[in-house]
Amino acid sequence: MRRPTRDTALSHRKISRRGLILGAAQGGFVGLLVWRMRHLQVEEADQFRLLAEENRIKIRLIPPARGQIFDRNGLVVAENVPSYRIMIEQEEADDIDDLIERLGRIVALDPEEIERAREEMRRSRLHPVTLADRVTWDEVSRVAVNAPALPGVRPEVGLSRRYPMLEEYAHLVGYVGPVSDYDLERIEAPDQLLRIPRFQIGKIGLEQRREDMLRGKAGSMRVEQNAAGRVMRELDRREGEPGSDIQITTDSHLQSYIHARLNGKSAAVVVMDCETGDVLSTVSAPGFDPNLFVRGISVADYNALLENKYRPLPNKSVQGIYPPGSTFKMITALAALENGIAVPDDTVYCPGHLEVSGHRFHCWKRAGHGNVDLNKSLQESCDVYYYEMALRTGIEKIAEMAQRLGLGVQHDLPMTSVASGLIPNREWKRETRGEEWRIGDSVNASIGQGYVLSSPLQLAVMTARLATGRRVTPRLIKSIDGVETPTGHGEDLGLNENNLRQIRRAMYDTVNTRRGTAYGSRIIADGMRMAGKTGTSQVRNITTAERAAGVRRNEDLPWERRDHALYVNYAPYDNPKIAVAVIVEHGGGGSTAAAPIARDVTLQALYGEDPPLEAYPAKDRANIKALQARLRDARPDYHAEARDRA
């Protein structure tokens, strides 16, 4: 046998060393691979399982049903109705442009709607986008049949907001609309629901002010998708919470009547329950159809509203502020009585004007009223009496009484832009105008002119408080999901009952005595008689030259230069149930333009239907009969439909 040589031994040793090194390297690599596999399969298993699940399962939000709104009698004024639409999931679609073109061969597509959809797709790929809204069942069927050729496109049924009472509740209830960038910017930490394209939220009115209650909470569902992204099945669903149903205090029958009664006028009416503070009606005329805004109003329709000189968009009943004119005189008189500055029998001589610091302040009656006391001053609306009361009482006490009775106060109602009005005093003028208060400012304020501004809502509150002596507070929401809210009954104002009785009697005589400024609009039915006060507020300055030549009559002036007409009242006089405030913009005199409306509204509210003709003076009955017939014909039939649904 041949013995291995020294060279061969060395060679074997070298090979073994290389093998060891190579083996060690291989072993290390295998170990690293095993460690990595363990890391991925054990330590990172949950994460990768989640990723795999996300690829296979998609979570979708389910918009909740919006809460409905009902009137005090259960009639629906804002409801949800089924609406078919065609949606697109961008993640599932191939070529968007080609897909839209193919879809357009199957159903009619609105170019504006498609452009809006493209804009929404550019903003986000996370949510489905609406390509066509309010489509028919036939169109839905055609899309469903052609589903294999339309990846990512699916028909869907949802809920859309509808306002069956149209213009009558437009200002009060408001409307919903798609969420805008502005909406998202002003909301801190917005709900994910708001990022769904075309999701609707309240824009104005009760819809906007009680959005938190009405919206509800979203649900969710998990769906399984195949590799192409097509939904295979729904795995599970978690239902959301529908929004709360809200019952408001208004009476739709009365609301409808007032809306028809104000037809052709730029006006506002507020009716309050003196016992509870319930707002039985609040109407701003003219109105608008809120359904136009639900899907986005057209430029033509919106411009028509903007260009209407009667201003249909603002809510005049709570947002509009006007000089209250002579309806403010009860404030001045009560301030003088409560502070012991005057007694009801005190008289002031009215020659038709009053000289104050070298300036002449005129009474509306050029020849004057002669000697007047409190009752006659309100009954015949003598201005000079109140000029004198203001000089004696001072603006601070008058302003304090005005706020006590609800003027210059922003009442807490869930409506858009509820105005606080303005009750001026010395400090206000110093801070806002940089000027000192002048005695002439007090004279102007005493008759509701100058800087004084109030809304119809505030005037209704003032009247209810005068009628009851309580701090009656307006209430608009009666119940939420059937749970009653506190009433606005209010505590005692702490005013002297004898002084209030004097004011009420003077308001009664204003309507029910021949020399009273509202005698032409009286109620003669027993137990229904009202107490009220007319008002006329100037919107222009009358120059000295014009007074010398003779002040031009309102009917001879352009509409926008005519005075505003106002009237406030409560009824019945001996058992106050309702308070009413009316303003007719540029209507002229309160006794001729506003008081007749207030009388008709008062009787409708008290009777709950068209009152008997015997409630009116005999000379008015023929005209009232014709008016009632005309208004019945003008009121729409959807009230019967709403009653049937309720």
Side-chain angles (χ1 to χ4, degrees):
M1 178 181 232
R2 187 177 176 184
R3 296 172 64 99
T5 64
R6 186 171 178 270
D7 292 338
T8 303
L10 289 172
S11 176
H12 279 297
R13 275 199 298 271
K14 289 179 181 178
I15 291 172
S16 298
R17 192 175 297 133
R18 290 196 196 101
L20 288 172
I21 294 172
L22 182 60
Q26 291 176 335
F29 177 76
V30 171
L32 181 62
L33 185 61
V34 170
W35 176 84
R36 181 61 177 166
M37 290 175 66
R38 180 185 180 280
H39 176 73
L40 294 176
Q41 294 183 12
V42 179
E43 297 179 14
E44 299 290 333
D46 291 341
Q47 180 179 348
F48 283 97
R49 187 180 300 112
L50 179 62
L51 290 174
E53 188 81 356
E54 289 292 337
N55 287 333
R56 185 174 63 90
I57 297 172
K58 188 166 186 176
I59 298 176
R60 290 179 177 170
L61 289 178
I62 304 174
R66 192 171 181 85
Q68 299 189 97
I69 303 174
F70 303 88
D71 82 340
R72 69 184 299 109
N73 300 311
L75 300 184
V76 65
V77 296
E79 63 183 346
N80 304 314
V81 294
S83 175
Y84 296 110
R85 48 183 176 254
I86 298 172
M87 314 291 292
I88 182 172
E89 287 271 9
Q90 297 179 74
E91 294 180 348
E92 302 174 21
D94 300 327
D95 185 328
I96 299 292
D97 294 332
D98 180 62
L99 194 60
I100 292 175
E101 184 180 347
R102 275 181 277 158
L103 180 63
R105 300 192 197 109
I106 300 171
V107 297
L109 297 177
D110 183 352
E112 290 186 9
E113 192 86 5
I114 293 301
E115 185 55 39
R116 193 182 307 170
R118 291 184 187 278
E119 177 62 30
E120 290 168 356
M121 285 188 276
R122 283 192 287 270
R123 291 180 184 176
S124 172
R125 294 183 58 86
L126 299 177
H127 302 288
V129 171
T130 302
L131 291 177
D133 201 2
R134 294 183 178 178
V135 297
T136 65
W137 175 250
D138 182 60
E139 289 172 318
V140 168
S141 301
R142 293 203 298 270
V143 171
V145 169
N146 289 274
L150 301 169
V153 174
R154 71 172 190 273
E156 188 178 274
V157 61
L159 295 175
S160 181
R161 203 63 157 173
R162 189 171 83 97
Y163 303 99
M165 305 295 188
L166 305 180
E167 294 94 342
E168 295 175 11
Y169 277 96
H171 297 99
L172 192 163
V173 171
Y175 53 81
V176 299
V179 180
S180 65
D181 291 339
Y182 171 76
D183 294 323
L184 292 174
E185 288 173 3
R186 66 186 179 86
I187 299 174
E188 186 177 348
D191 191 323
Q192 283 301 309
L193 268 175
L194 304 186
R195 301 191 182 278
I196 298 177
R198 310 287 180 92
F199 184 78
Q200 295 176 337
I201 61 172
K203 294 290 186 174
I204 67 167
L206 183 64
E207 291 275 30
Q208 187 261 332
R209 293 297 307 278
R210 288 295 176 265
E211 171 68 23
D212 55 337
M213 296 179 183
L214 291 165
R215 185 193 306 164
K217 295 181 180 179
S220 63
M221 64 177 176
R222 293 196 309 157
V223 294
E224 184 178 3
Q225 296 177 327
N226 62 17
R230 189 174 301 281
V231 175
M232 304 302 293
R233 62 186 173 124
E234 181 180 314
L235 297 176
D236 60 50
R237 173 186 291 255
R238 181 180 62 82
E239 296 295 341
E241 297 178 16
S244 298
D245 288 339
I246 293 178
Q247 183 179 28
I248 54 180
T249 58
T250 54
D251 183 323
S252 290
H253 179 81
L254 182 61
Q255 189 87 355
S256 175
Y257 173 83
I258 296 173
H259 184 80
R261 183 66 177 83
L262 296 182
N263 183 46
K265 296 178 173 59
S266 179
V269 173
V270 176
V271 183
M272 279 182 60
D273 186 308
C274 288
E275 179 64 22
T276 63
D278 285 1
V279 178
L280 300 176
S281 181
T282 169
V283 176
S284 178
F288 59 90
D289 183 357
N291 295 296
L292 294 175
F293 288 84
V294 174
R295 287 293 182 273
I297 190 169
S298 70
V299 173
D301 286 337
Y302 191 63
N303 284 340
L305 293 173
L306 288 178
E307 293 166 5
N308 188 328
K309 71 175 183 178
Y310 288 169
R311 302 183 305 119
L313 290 176
N315 185 353
K316 302 179 182 75
S317 62
V318 301
Q319 185 179 355
I321 51 175
Y322 311 87
S326 294
T327 62
F328 189 82
K329 288 176 177 176
M330 288 84 76
I331 301 286
T332 304
L334 197 54
L337 294 175
E338 284 290 307
N339 287 281
I341 293 165
V343 295
D345 293 335
D346 284 351
T347 60
V348 172
Y349 179 71
C350 170
H353 63 273
L354 181 68
E355 294 281 349
V356 178
S357 300
H359 184 81
R360 177 170 288 189
F361 291 87
H362 294 270
C363 183
W364 70 268
K365 189 175 182 180
R366 191 171 184 177
H369 291 88
N371 288 311
V372 293
D373 58 10
L374 170 64
N375 188 285
K376 186 178 179 180
S377 73
L378 273 178
Q379 183 186 146
E380 300 182 26
S381 202
C382 173
D383 294 332
V384 170
Y385 179 90
Y386 294 93
Y387 297 158
E388 180 63 31
M389 290 300 109
L391 296 179
R392 298 181 190 179
T393 308
I395 190 59
E396 300 302 327
K397 291 183 174 61
I398 294 173
E400 181 184 351
M401 182 59 66
Q403 292 180 336
R404 198 170 179 180
L405 291 174
L407 304 189
V409 177
Q410 186 178 42
H411 296 290
D412 186 19
L413 285 183
M415 300 174 72
T416 305
S417 303
V418 177
S420 58
L422 176 59
I423 298 300
N425 58 16
R426 297 178 185 278
E427 182 181 359
W428 169 84
K429 189 176 183 184
R430 193 179 301 117
E431 290 181 354
T432 60
R433 300 296 182 94
E435 301 173 1
E436 292 300 317
W437 188 264
R438 297 181 179 179
I439 194 167
D441 296 331
S442 297
V443 172
N444 279 327
S446 71
I447 60 167
Q449 292 284 168
Y451 300 118
V452 181
L453 295 170
S454 60
S455 68
L457 171 67
Q458 291 172 325
L459 292 176
V461 172
M462 174 196 76
T463 307
R465 292 183 179 184
L466 286 171
T468 63
R470 289 183 280 103
R471 194 178 298 276
V472 181
T473 303
R475 179 178 76 150
L476 184 61
I477 294 181
K478 191 174 188 296
S479 67
I480 301 169
D481 282 337
V483 179
E484 192 87 6
T485 63
T487 72
H489 179 81
E491 71 280 5
D492 192 279
L493 283 166
L495 297 173
N496 185 295
E497 184 59 31
N498 288 329
N499 292 335
L500 283 171
R501 194 176 295 116
Q502 293 290 339
I503 297 293
R504 293 168 189 154
R505 184 67 200 185
M507 292 175 67
Y508 177 86
D509 289 344
T510 298
V511 184
N512 297 286
T513 59
R514 290 189 177 276
R515 299 184 68 86
T517 57
Y519 182 69
S521 296
R522 66 195 181 281
I523 295 170
I524 66 170
D526 290 337
M528 296 290 184
R529 294 179 185 271
M530 65 178 175
K533 182 70 189 78
T534 57
T536 303
S537 64
Q538 292 178 208
V539 297
R540 65 189 181 94
N541 290 324
I542 300 175
T543 63
T544 303
E546 185 178 350
R547 287 193 184 277
V551 178
R552 295 174 65 188
R553 297 181 305 172
N554 272 287
E555 52 266 35
D556 296 331
L557 295 168
W559 178 80
E560 62 276 4
R561 297 191 65 202
R562 297 175 188 173
D563 297 335
H564 295 321
L566 301 99
Y567 187 77
V568 298
N569 72 276
Y570 69 88
Y573 166 69
D574 53 359
N575 181 26
K577 292 182 179 178
I578 62 164
V580 178
V582 176
I583 181 165
V584 181
E585 289 188 334
H586 309 294
S591 60
T592 56
I597 294 172
R599 175 182 64 180
D600 296 343
V601 168
T602 298
L603 286 170
Q604 281 283 331
L606 291 175
Y607 281 96
E609 58 185 3
D610 286 348
L613 293 177
E614 290 73 24
Y616 293 88
K619 66 179 182 62
D620 296 336
R621 291 172 188 171
N623 290 334
I624 293 299
K625 184 177 180 180
L627 174 66
Q628 289 178 348
R630 187 170 71 250
L631 294 183
R632 279 195 297 270
D633 292 340
R635 293 163 71 181
D637 293 335
Y638 51 70
H639 281 276
E641 177 190 343
R643 282 191 292 273
D644 291 341
R645 285 199 304 270

